[in-house]
Amino acid sequence: MKLAGRVSQVKPSLTLAISAKALAMKAEGIDVCSFSAGEPDFDTPAHIKAAAQKALDENKTKYGPEAGEPKLREAIARKLKTSNGLDYKAENVIVTNGGKHSLFNLILALIESGDEVIIPAPYWVSYPEMVTIAGGKPVIVNTDASTGYKITPEQLRKSITSQTKLFVLNSPSNPTGMVYTPDEIQALAEVVVDTDILVVSDEIYEKIIYDGVKQVSIGTFGEEIFARTIISNGFAKGYSMTGWRIGYLAGSKEIIKAASTMQGHSTSNVCTFAQYGAIAALEGSQDCIEEMRQAFAQRREVMLARLNAIPGLSCPKPDGAFYMFPDISKTKLKSLEFCSALLEKEQVAVIPGIAFGADDNIRISYATDMATIEKGMDRLERFVRSC
Ligand code: GLU
């Protein structure tokens, strides 16, 4: 048997693989501290579950429109207008099987052989792989702690060629947790509008920000950039709905139609009754988000203090998301080696930075309870001291 060539060009998702390994070790009775998956440890809020249960009882169990339940598309368009200042209508929105799938549909609809996609590193693990699957070329632009792991307008300008089709912007960022300021976003928008390229803004962590920092969407800086922007978002992180697999894409009618065609031939619609939970999430009280955000904020303080007290590690304070991204280079270990040894010796699961294009770092999720954080940091400290 010969597999398709694209399989050998794509690496399996390390975030999913390590999370699965940690879960399997737990199932064997091993006392693992897992900081691997970016997954809130809270239950989905009760009113969201009740709405999906009601939809199930009402037999909303059939195929639906491929682009999503009309009521949900309308609710998303309303949210984008009122909360984000983005003037979309329901026809500009497609509901997808998670945020990841929204990006996959978009990249399949836009990218073909010869197209370049600019991806600042550290990047979320799946961006370059999706571009490769579509036959395009990921153009990785390295950033470091000196610019807060943010791409500068000069870097963006220099990376654009006649082949560039798309720029991937992710703020708050997975894996670094950094958030671009409004001025920084505006400066990037000015570079984009001088060219023919499009920008996809992955805003999945928009609700998880700290210390009064403001998240703004690149699409809000004028009509020209709005026309070149596609928004990717979802319900997983803000509403603790990771397993529900509901995300969305918003953009021009032409792009949304193309993404719907891709979806129509792959997954059809998103689980019908689950979409009613998503409607309740948007239309119900938003207090649940704030409760979770406050818990993440406390954990962020504790984990950051613990990490920076470990000789040999250094970690900038993230403004958003729920990840720490410390530099481990002083241990002289590469990230995979570091993470394998940490899991084996101390039963602590974290993600090697190499998955995100940064081999001198590791990613630690603090979307977990405080007791696990304290125990895990004790173990991490013992491990680093022994290196
Ligand atoms: N986005 C989450 C993470 O980075 C979930 C895993 C995944 O989809 O890669 O951990």
Side-chain angles (χ1 to χ4, degrees):
M1 187 197 55
K2 186 173 178 297
L3 296 174
R6 78 177 72 88
V7 179
S8 60
Q9 288 166 26
V10 172
K11 297 179 282 298
S13 165
L14 261 182
T15 50
L16 297 183
I18 294 174
S19 310
K21 183 162 186 195
L23 268 181
M25 285 170 76
K26 272 188 191 168
E28 279 173 35
I30 301 170
D31 175 24
V32 181
C33 293
S34 182
F35 304 105
S36 49
E39 174 161 55
D41 56 323
F42 301 100
D43 291 334
T44 301
H47 68 284
I48 299 175
K49 290 193 285 192
Q53 272 154 5
K54 181 164 171 277
L56 193 52
D57 291 342
E58 288 169 354
N59 294 309
K60 294 201 165 61
T61 55
K62 306 289 189 201
Y63 292 131
E66 63 192 23
E69 290 295 301
K71 269 188 156 180
L72 179 54
R73 294 174 78 193
E74 278 158 27
I76 292 168
R78 250 193 322 275
K79 176 260 178 210
L80 288 168
K81 197 164 182 174
T82 53
S83 313
N84 305 95
L86 296 162
D87 197 3
Y88 289 118
K89 299 193 175 55
E91 63 197 21
N92 298 111
V93 173
I94 173 180
V95 182
T96 59
N97 288 275
K100 185 184 285 189
H101 187 233
S102 76
L103 292 163
F104 196 73
N105 282 337
L106 174 73
I107 286 171
L108 270 193
L110 275 184
I111 302 303
E112 59 192 347
S113 170
D115 290 339
E116 295 179 359
V117 178
I118 297 176
I119 303 173
Y123 47 74
W124 177 52
V125 60
S126 295
Y127 298 146
E129 308 301 325
M130 288 179 187
V131 173
T132 303
I133 292 170
K137 181 178 167 206
V139 174
I140 307 301
V141 180
N142 289 311
T143 70
D144 57 31
S146 68
T147 59
Y149 293 112
K150 298 175 192 181
I151 188 171
T152 63
E154 293 71 37
Q155 281 182 306
L156 177 59
R157 192 172 290 114
K158 273 197 208 144
S159 318
I160 297 173
T161 71
S162 56
Q163 305 300 114
T164 309
K165 192 109 176 237
L166 185 66
F167 162 47
V168 181
L169 180 64
N170 174 217
S171 175
S173 152
N174 176 6
T176 65
M178 63 77 201
V179 181
Y180 286 83
T181 66
D183 285 351
E184 287 165 344
I185 301 251
Q186 185 169 12
L188 294 172
E190 282 164 11
V191 175
V192 172
V193 296
D194 272 349
T195 70
D196 289 335
I197 72 170
L198 299 169
V199 53
V200 58
S201 180
D202 180 350
E203 302 181 1
I204 187 89
Y205 293 96
E206 65 166 332
K207 304 286 186 196
I208 305 168
I209 40 179
Y210 311 105
D211 301 336
V213 163
K214 211 167 167 262
Q215 188 269 345
V216 281
S217 176
I218 190 163
T220 57
F221 291 97
E223 273 172 38
E224 270 182 283
I225 187 69
F226 179 65
R228 292 179 175 281
T229 300
I230 305 113
I231 307 290
S232 165
N233 205 331
F235 294 80
K237 313 294 182 183
Y239 296 98
S240 197
M241 291 170 69
T242 47
W244 291 59
R245 309 313 302 140
I246 312 181
Y248 55 90
L249 205 58
S252 71
K253 269 203 295 190
E254 194 188 1
I255 286 180
I256 295 306
K257 198 164 161 247
S260 303
T261 303
M262 297 298 113
Q263 178 156 300
H265 285 295
S266 52
T267 61
S268 304
N269 62 285
V270 172
C271 172
T272 304
F273 52 87
Q275 292 186 62
Y276 285 82
I279 296 171
L282 289 178
E283 293 189 337
S285 160
Q286 302 299 297
D287 292 352
C288 53
I289 294 182
E290 181 55 17
E291 280 162 29
M292 293 190 257
R293 195 195 64 81
Q294 284 182 14
F296 295 139
Q298 279 177 4
R299 297 164 185 186
R300 180 182 70 134
E301 298 296 339
V302 171
M303 190 181 266
L304 186 74
R306 290 293 313 261
L307 281 176
N308 281 325
I310 301 177
L313 294 192
S314 65
C315 187
K317 193 171 194 178
D319 289 323
F322 34 59
Y323 306 109
M324 297 284 164
F325 203 58
D327 186 317
I328 55 157
S329 55
K330 288 206 175 122
T331 66
K332 305 264 185 288
L333 295 175
K334 285 299 170 196
S335 64
L336 255 176
E337 251 180 296
F338 184 103
C339 294
S340 310
L342 179 64
L343 187 57
E344 198 185 304
K345 289 191 183 154
E346 293 287 353
Q347 292 77 50
V348 173
V350 301
I351 309 284
I354 191 77
F356 313 103
D359 210 7
D360 283 340
N361 298 73
I362 55 171
R363 190 192 76 175
I364 312 178
S365 163
Y366 52 90
T368 193
D369 63 277
M370 204 66 101
T372 305
I373 290 175
E374 293 284 10
K375 185 158 73 173
M377 291 303 105
D378 288 344
R379 294 179 185 186
L380 176 67
E381 180 162 0
R382 193 162 54 212
F383 174 77
V384 174
R385 285 182 187 280
S386 76
C387 281

